[in-house]
Amino acid sequence: MTTSAFRSVCSCENGFLNETRSCAVSATKQKIVKAPRLGLQERFDADAGSSGLPNNPLFIDMPLDHFNSNDRRTFPVRFWVNDTYYEPGGPVFIFDSGEQNAEPLLPYYLQEFHGLSAIMRLAKRYHGIAFLWEHRYYGDSQPFPVNANTTAAQWKYLNTEQALQDVVFFAESFPKSSHQVLNASSSHPSALPLHPSVVPWVWLGGSYPGVRGALLRQRNPETIYAAWASSAPVQAEVDMSSYYKAAERSLSRNCSADWVAVTKFVDDTFNGTNDTLKVDLKFDLLKARLSGPGGNTTGADGLTRQRANATSNVDAASILMDPLDFYQYYGFQDSLLPFCDLLETQNSTAEPFEGGIVSALGIDAAFQAFMVALAELDYDSIPSEDDPVQDRSWMRQYCSEYGFYQRGDPQNPLSIETSFLSLDLFQQQCSSTFPDLPSSPQVQLINKYGGWSMNPSNIMWANGEFDPWRTMGLASIESDSPHRQPTASVPACNTPPPGDSFFGMTYSQMVHVSDMRVLLVPDSNHSDFKTVGFYSPVSQQPFYAGLGLFQLALDEWLPCFHSRT
């Protein structure tokens, strides 16, 4: 390569690609029933130590359409580099941010703010270079403004194949030898001989980035030599009613009995003919959401029966799911246990019943205890910061290819999710937001790589026992899954384990992406309950267990890499 494809500025004009002016991306938020995102939803307080970080973002000019040689348009894709431990010939470690703005991950993953990260520990051990990679259509890596006015012609370039090829293009943009670079500064990463034919590229990703690592290892083994795929739901399915089954399995049995009974009671009432009872129920649900701890009902002062009656069945019934908002990242102990304790002790006024309140006192008592527990924890007052760009971009992806509609299943006798969150509702919202898409997500575009049955070599799979996304991963225990078993025995390099097993582990009691970094120093971003809603390490053990096993694997696999020059 004699010229560099890397740039250090982002530019566009009128929502299109050019090199003349800075790009201002606007976004309009639309009220939608959102499927929970997969990725690491982290935020970082800029006043808490992010100033003066040595890593400035870099950009590479990325082809808009990798598969049309007549389309010469490009756009900037952003990434960061940490070469603290790099020695010539060392591996490349690439950490993928997936479906979000990558910048908030920089302090925690490349700078190890308040703890350690897997990517930097591996870079130090193997004298490698570390990249943080941003996905097209997220953060500052946007070919077009993402908002309600983004056209079908602009959305068409957000798909799995284009995004995977971005990584291949990036890897192949590096020279095979430093002598190939004529016009690049020797201090610039584009000058380093990091081509995947001369040094191994090792992928790290959790959740959707874990899926991407698995697909790349299957699709482009000549580019990605090894991968650590954490919490990776590689089986794309439209119907993901299994999502909340994982949460229900983690509940204590008395809490489950009451939650199931209250959910069924509310659904049955809204499906019934007693209009007075429907309004009463909606009023009670809205009042519980609007009220606060200590019996404070001032937040519900403006609530009227007319307003309650105007609330849709799905909006009212979904209030029962407020305690599940943070389950994906915090699990039962830190997310649901406080709620279950309030519910089963009837706000600390009674001893819990082994079979639940409903078994001893009936559904009315169970429902009222549920309302009090909702009000006391006041979930609705916890601040959250939606990113309308990433919400809309991820919606495009699951509506077009992944599905993952977390619907309520009325046929499930242990359902804790309202059946008003139906497949039809998810599809209706996808179709109204993106009328150009087919009538159902094209999951076959993902599952062609193997789904639950995929078995690439040189990859470690990690899952949390109660992670909702485990249900779509290799460690799935759902009835329609292959029920493959993890093994901690490191396979020989370039050799898949037997088809009925996979290399990796399932972390006991853990949930989503519990192993990519560890928090060692108190951090207000993670200790204040009001900041929950983004991934936070809930335990140190998965980090050290996962890192240790992956290091054993790389000790076996890396010596097998041979330069192809």
Side-chain angles (χ1 to χ4, degrees):
M1 174 171 83
T2 59
T3 59
S4 174
F6 296 85
R7 294 194 299 117
S8 58
V9 294
C10 163
S11 58
C12 67
E13 182 176 15
N14 297 326
F16 206 66
L17 311 161
N18 71 91
E19 300 182 1
T20 60
R21 54 183 292 187
S22 62
C23 172
V25 177
S26 62
T28 302
K29 184 177 180 181
Q30 180 187 41
K31 186 177 181 181
I32 57 176
V33 177
K34 293 185 295 183
R37 290 172 55 251
L38 282 74
L40 309 172
Q41 300 181 20
E42 299 205 51
R43 293 189 294 274
F44 179 72
D45 182 358
D47 296 328
S50 65
S51 60
L53 289 174
N55 289 119
N56 294 318
L58 299 172
F59 291 84
I60 179 172
D61 280 327
M62 187 64 64
L64 179 64
D65 188 347
H66 291 285
F67 310 110
N68 181 359
S69 59
N70 295 322
D71 190 339
R72 307 302 295 272
R73 293 173 294 175
T74 64
F75 71 102
V77 170
R78 184 168 59 163
F79 66 98
W80 291 262
V81 184
N82 189 327
D83 61 357
T84 301
Y85 306 114
Y86 174 70
E87 295 180 8
V92 170
F93 294 97
I94 180 168
F95 185 88
D96 184 54
S97 65
E99 76 283 24
Q100 72 166 79
N101 179 349
E103 187 170 19
L105 303 184
L106 174 64
Y108 294 113
Y109 289 93
L110 287 199
Q111 293 301 315
E112 299 191 304
F113 179 76
H114 282 186
L116 302 174
S117 71
I119 186 170
M120 292 314 302
R121 294 303 90 200
L122 293 170
K124 182 176 183 179
R125 178 181 177 93
Y126 298 104
H127 310 294
I129 190 169
F131 290 116
L132 171 62
W133 180 252
E134 188 167 74
H135 194 294
R136 61 167 58 199
Y137 285 77
Y138 295 93
D140 281 351
S141 301
Q142 297 179 23
F144 311 101
V146 171
N147 53 45
N149 299 317
T150 307
T151 67
Q154 294 170 332
W155 277 124
K156 68 179 289 188
Y157 304 104
L158 176 56
N159 60 61
T160 296
E161 293 298 328
Q162 295 283 3
L164 294 178
Q165 198 63 26
D166 287 345
V167 178
V168 176
F169 181 89
F170 176 61
E172 292 181 349
S173 296
F174 289 92
K176 298 178 181 179
S177 166
S178 58
H179 299 298
Q180 290 181 262
V181 182
L182 302 179
N183 299 315
S185 167
S186 60
S187 63
H188 197 279
S190 64
L192 298 174
L194 300 177
H195 194 277
S197 66
V198 295
V199 296
W201 280 58
V202 180
W203 182 277
L204 288 86
S207 197
Y208 171 54
V211 175
R212 280 164 47 76
L215 298 186
L216 280 165
R217 181 63 194 146
Q218 185 88 5
R219 176 185 186 268
N220 302 99
E222 75 287 348
T223 301
I224 299 300
Y225 179 72
W228 176 352
S230 179
S231 298
V234 293
Q235 177 76 13
E237 291 195 359
V238 176
D239 185 350
M240 196 184 174
S241 58
S242 60
Y243 182 90
Y244 290 105
K245 289 181 181 178
E248 188 281 326
R249 284 193 286 261
S250 76
L251 296 175
S252 58
R253 290 303 85 191
N254 55 356
C255 188
S256 171
D258 287 329
W259 206 322
V260 168
V262 169
T263 299
K264 188 176 187 305
F265 168 66
V266 169
D267 281 3
D268 288 348
T269 300
F270 289 162
N271 280 318
T273 59
N274 190 328
D275 292 337
T276 300
L277 184 54
K278 290 180 186 179
V279 177
D280 290 343
L281 215 55
K282 289 180 179 181
F283 186 90
D284 289 344
L285 286 161
L286 289 167
K287 183 178 179 180
R289 171 177 276 179
L290 295 170
S291 298
N296 184 356
T297 61
T298 56
D301 285 347
L303 179 63
T304 64
R305 291 179 63 80
Q306 183 179 10
R307 176 183 167 188
N309 189 42
T311 303
S312 69
N313 291 337
V314 64
D315 286 346
S318 295
I319 293 174
L320 296 176
M321 299 170 61
D322 283 358
L324 294 165
D325 285 351
F326 312 116
Y327 173 79
Q328 177 172 309
Y329 296 98
Y330 281 79
F332 173 73
Q333 182 170 342
D334 294 326
S335 173
L336 299 184
L337 180 59
F339 174 80
C340 286
D341 281 347
L342 285 170
L343 170 60
E344 296 308 313
T345 64
Q346 300 174 66
N347 198 20
S348 302
T349 64
E351 290 295 318
F353 297 100
E354 184 175 352
I357 298 170
V358 67
S359 67
L361 304 178
I363 189 59
D364 289 340
F367 177 78
Q368 291 305 319
F370 203 105
M371 295 303 99
V372 171
L374 280 177
E376 286 299 310
L377 284 183
D378 197 17
Y379 286 94
D380 200 48
S381 70
I382 298 173
S384 61
E385 298 178 11
D386 279 346
D387 182 328
V389 171
Q390 65 193 38
D391 285 349
R392 187 171 291 273
S393 292
W394 176 239
M395 186 182 186
R396 175 72 184 194
Q397 289 194 259
Y398 73 74
C399 288
S400 60
E401 294 183 312
Y402 287 90
F404 296 145
Y405 294 171
Q406 289 107 25
R407 66 151 180 137
D409 182 6
Q411 305 305 314
N412 175 15
L414 295 177
S415 178
I416 57 173
E417 179 187 14
T418 174
S419 60
F420 286 99
L421 287 172
S422 64
L423 289 178
D424 287 342
L425 177 63
F426 277 101
Q427 189 56 57
Q428 178 186 4
Q429 296 212 327
C430 282
S431 297
S432 62
T433 305
F434 307 108
D436 63 297
L437 290 179
S439 59
S440 183
Q442 303 298 286
V443 296
Q444 70 276 9
L445 298 176
I446 309 303
N447 293 335
K448 68 183 181 182
Y449 291 109
W452 275 323
S453 300
M454 72 186 309
N455 200 26
S457 63
N458 296 4
I459 187 167
M460 185 183 84
W461 308 85
N463 294 273
E465 179 184 5
F466 294 122
D467 178 11
W469 294 101
R470 175 191 177 188
T471 62
M472 296 292 105
L474 264 60
S476 176
I477 58 174
E478 303 311 305
S479 59
D480 55 342
S481 73
H483 291 260
R484 295 171 66 180
Q485 297 297 314
T487 173
S489 297
V490 178
C493 61
N494 303 315
T495 305
D500 60 348
S501 67
F502 61 90
F503 171 58
M505 65 176 69
T506 300
Y507 307 118
S508 176
Q509 302 291 314
M510 290 295 104
V511 277
H512 199 54
V513 193
S514 305
D515 54 358
M516 287 291 173
R517 72 179 182 90
V518 64
L519 188 68
L520 297 177
V521 178
D523 177 356
S524 61
N525 284 336
H526 301 81
S527 59
D528 182 358
F529 182 71
K530 290 184 178 181
T531 65
V532 300
F534 60 98
Y535 165 76
S536 177
V538 296
S539 177
Q540 296 180 353
Q541 288 85 349
F543 171 80
Y544 291 107
L547 179 63
L549 185 58
F550 195 56
Q551 286 177 167
L552 288 175
L554 291 184
D555 287 347
E556 176 78 19
W557 299 340
L558 289 179
C560 295
F561 179 85
H562 298 291
S563 173
R564 300 191 302 274
T565 56

